[in-house]
Amino acid sequence: MPVISKDHAVPHKSTVPANKDEMVNLFVREKRDNSPEHGPDRKAVLMLHGRSVPVLAGFDLRHASYSWADALAKAGHDVFMMDLQGSGRSPRPWMHDPRNANPTDQGLLKPRPPGFTPGPVTNPSPLNNSDSDRDELHTVVEWIRKERGVDKVAFIGWSAAAFTMGPYAVMNPAKVESLFLLAPIFPPDATSTPPTTVPQPFPMFLNTRWGVESGWNKELRTAEQRAPGMVEKVWAAIMENDAVGRDWGPPEGISRYRNFVRWGWNRTTAAKDGVLGGSVPIMIVYGDADATVNTSPPNPNKELNFSVPALYDAVAGSRKLMVRLASAGHSLVWEAQHKNVHKLSKHWLKHLKVDGKTQGVFDMAVNGDLSPVP
């Protein structure tokens, strides 16, 4: 039986500064496989994107075996993928105006859109923040709990999704079954409170197809790490989820992604009340070539100094696992190791274990072999 896909518009009262108090619809795609062997008690899983890639391009890439959501649905889970405001198919307030792009990015827009000339930002403020992101996640969690009649939802987040899912799980352990973080961004010494001065006063960044490729190239270690043609497949999926950006900039379009102000994800949060690794088991997966999540050499700006091992060490509970994948970078959802990511997540969702263990650090080879790290 094929996987059934259904798109939803989930009502939400916005707390984003750009459209505060307006009723908006958050985009959610549901995936399920109604094969009889899965039964009626399928686990609800919510997947959340990172900073710059819409949720469907990241988790539901319609090419070969790259749809992570399909893999989970075929394993018997009810999968939900959401776009926060400013990303993908959810509302993107202020982002229709090219003058609201980072001034250093505005040069990418030549020769389109017609008549555009770089200039001062129209709305000098980041679009989202940690509070508004968690509010949107909360709305979707509550909607899933009601829609599926479940008490808890399992979380899967990629990259900057950790800023939202990590603190939310700590604050709402009765609603979160488990936490699977892929290539999580974790600044161990970052601030716990909103900044008094808002940094980067513009709503969005811009990127090009070449920007995606060049950043990805820096984390390639072997010729087999990325299959031929994957940059084009990924860029096409990003453009499919950006109805405005695909008509901007060079012939292949421009990717627009939100600028947000973050706080409250650090050592203190990860250890708070022993929730992570306690009532909310956590699994962390990352690639050994991922220079995005492990800052080297350390950045003197504590907000930009990231470390995955520091997250594992900060989690106070004992139910915590970390797996490092060989020959994999930050874009590992589209790399050769993607099938091992699918395999790990399916096993985790079913057993909350790896190699029979609920705690520990492991290396995983490209062929899927696991070895404990002493």
Side-chain angles (χ1 to χ4, degrees):
M1 183 175 291
V3 171
I4 297 171
S5 180
K6 184 177 181 180
D7 291 347
H8 302 276
V10 178
H12 171 72
K13 187 175 182 179
S14 181
T15 56
V16 170
N19 56 2
K20 191 175 186 299
D21 295 330
E22 291 182 18
M23 290 302 301
V24 299
N25 289 321
L26 301 175
F27 174 81
V28 175
R29 174 166 290 178
E30 177 184 3
K31 292 265 189 170
R32 66 166 64 186
D33 182 341
N34 287 330
S35 300
E37 64 264 26
H38 294 320
D41 299 322
R42 294 180 295 268
K43 185 172 296 186
V45 179
L46 176 58
M47 308 182 81
L48 181 64
H49 59 86
R51 185 171 72 122
S52 61
V53 177
V55 74
L56 298 186
F59 298 140
D60 196 24
L61 186 68
R62 313 310 298 161
H63 173 64
S65 58
Y66 289 92
S67 175
W68 191 357
D70 273 5
L72 295 179
K74 290 174 183 176
H77 304 297
D78 282 355
V79 181
F80 299 87
M81 297 168 280
M82 69 172 290
D83 275 319
L84 295 165
Q85 288 196 80
S87 181
R89 303 187 184 192
S90 283
R92 299 199 192 197
W94 289 345
M95 294 176 70
H96 64 283
D97 184 351
R99 289 282 284 271
N100 280 326
N102 180 353
T104 62
D105 290 349
Q106 290 184 22
L108 299 173
L109 291 169
K110 298 175 183 178
R112 293 185 291 175
F116 171 75
T117 55
V121 173
T122 306
N123 299 90
S125 172
L127 186 61
N128 312 64
N129 58 50
S130 289
D131 285 344
S132 64
D133 282 357
R134 284 196 295 268
D135 291 341
E136 291 172 19
L137 179 64
H138 178 73
T139 290
V140 174
V141 167
E142 291 297 284
W143 177 83
I144 292 171
R145 293 173 71 227
K146 181 178 180 181
E147 181 83 1
R148 291 291 297 114
V150 297
D151 292 327
K152 294 187 175 185
V153 178
F155 281 0
I156 292 179
W158 178 24
S159 189
F163 284 109
T164 306
M165 285 185 152
Y168 183 89
V170 170
M171 292 185 284
N172 299 275
K175 299 176 183 180
V176 181
E177 182 181 77
S178 62
L179 183 59
F180 183 104
L181 295 179
L182 181 71
I185 306 293
F186 181 71
D189 299 312
T191 183
S192 293
T193 57
T196 54
T197 301
V198 177
Q200 298 177 322
F202 50 84
M204 65 176 168
F205 295 92
L206 305 177
N207 203 0
T208 63
R209 192 208 65 82
W210 171 243
V212 170
E213 180 175 1
S214 60
W216 196 348
N217 288 346
K218 293 175 184 177
E219 297 184 346
L220 295 180
R221 296 295 179 267
T222 67
E224 296 77 23
Q225 186 173 330
R226 183 178 69 203
M230 282 305 298
V231 173
E232 289 71 27
K233 294 293 184 182
V234 168
W235 185 253
I238 293 173
M239 288 295 92
E240 185 180 355
N241 288 279
D242 193 338
V244 173
R246 61 176 174 249
D247 291 328
W248 285 3
E252 60 272 272
I254 285 283
S255 170
R256 303 172 299 154
Y257 59 99
R258 67 202 188 102
N259 184 13
F260 71 108
V261 179
R262 52 177 173 78
W263 61 85
W265 180 231
N266 49 37
R267 283 193 182 95
T268 302
T269 308
K272 186 174 174 57
D273 299 328
V275 171
L276 296 186
S279 57
V280 180
I282 180 171
M283 182 170 183
I284 303 162
V285 179
Y286 72 104
D288 65 352
D290 191 341
T292 303
V293 298
N294 289 309
T295 309
S296 182
N299 193 312
N301 182 346
K302 64 182 182 179
E303 303 295 334
L304 301 176
N305 190 48
F306 308 137
S307 171
V308 175
L311 172 57
Y312 181 84
D313 292 341
V315 171
S318 61
R319 301 166 72 191
K320 59 179 182 177
L321 292 156
M322 184 166 68
V323 178
R324 182 177 60 179
L325 302 179
S327 299
H330 198 65
S331 300
L332 69 178
V333 292
W334 307 309
E335 294 181 353
Q337 282 274 37
H338 74 279
K339 288 186 179 181
N340 282 331
V341 171
H342 299 176
K343 178 181 176 182
L344 282 168
S345 62
K346 288 186 288 186
H347 190 83
W348 166 255
L349 289 170
K350 185 175 182 179
H351 303 288
L352 297 179
K353 295 179 181 180
V354 167
D355 200 30
K357 298 178 176 64
T358 58
Q359 183 181 31
V361 180
F362 299 81
D363 282 327
M364 177 172 269
V366 174
N367 65 4
D369 287 347
L370 274 170
S371 57
V373 174

